Amino acid sequence: RHHPAVHLVVVDATPAQARAGQRARGRTLRERAMRRHERLWARADFAREPWTTVTRVERSPVPAAAAVPPQRLPRPVVAWA
């Protein structure tokens, strides 16, 4: 954490939803690693960690990324002085 104000967004999802989301994004995680992540997140104490804010959001049935069509962003213009 290199910035004094660090904000954490936690997506509240069941293990089955998390696995399905990983598969939908083409990411794979071995079963043992997934169980370890589940245990770590289950016992996380966000109030004791140095987050500026913690926002917990519910996992929607339709991923937000699927609801918004992908957009091609313009290339940034770099001006040298």
Side-chain angles (χ1 to χ4, degrees), residues 6-69:
V6 180
H7 305 276
L8 175 67
V9 178
V10 178
V11 179
D12 199 3
T14 66
Q17 288 173 320
R19 284 185 182 90
Q22 293 289 323
R23 282 192 304 275
R25 289 187 298 279
R27 299 177 67 193
T28 58
L29 200 59
R30 293 186 180 171
E31 189 63 28
R32 183 177 175 188
M34 185 66 178
R35 286 194 313 268
R36 186 178 69 240
H37 283 273
E38 290 170 14
R39 286 191 306 273
L40 290 171
W41 281 105
R43 68 175 183 240
D45 186 2
F46 302 119
R48 295 183 57 118
E49 295 181 18
W51 305 109
T52 303
T53 61
V54 177
T55 304
R56 188 178 294 262
V57 296
E58 293 290 324
R59 166 76 164 78
S60 65
V62 177
V68 178

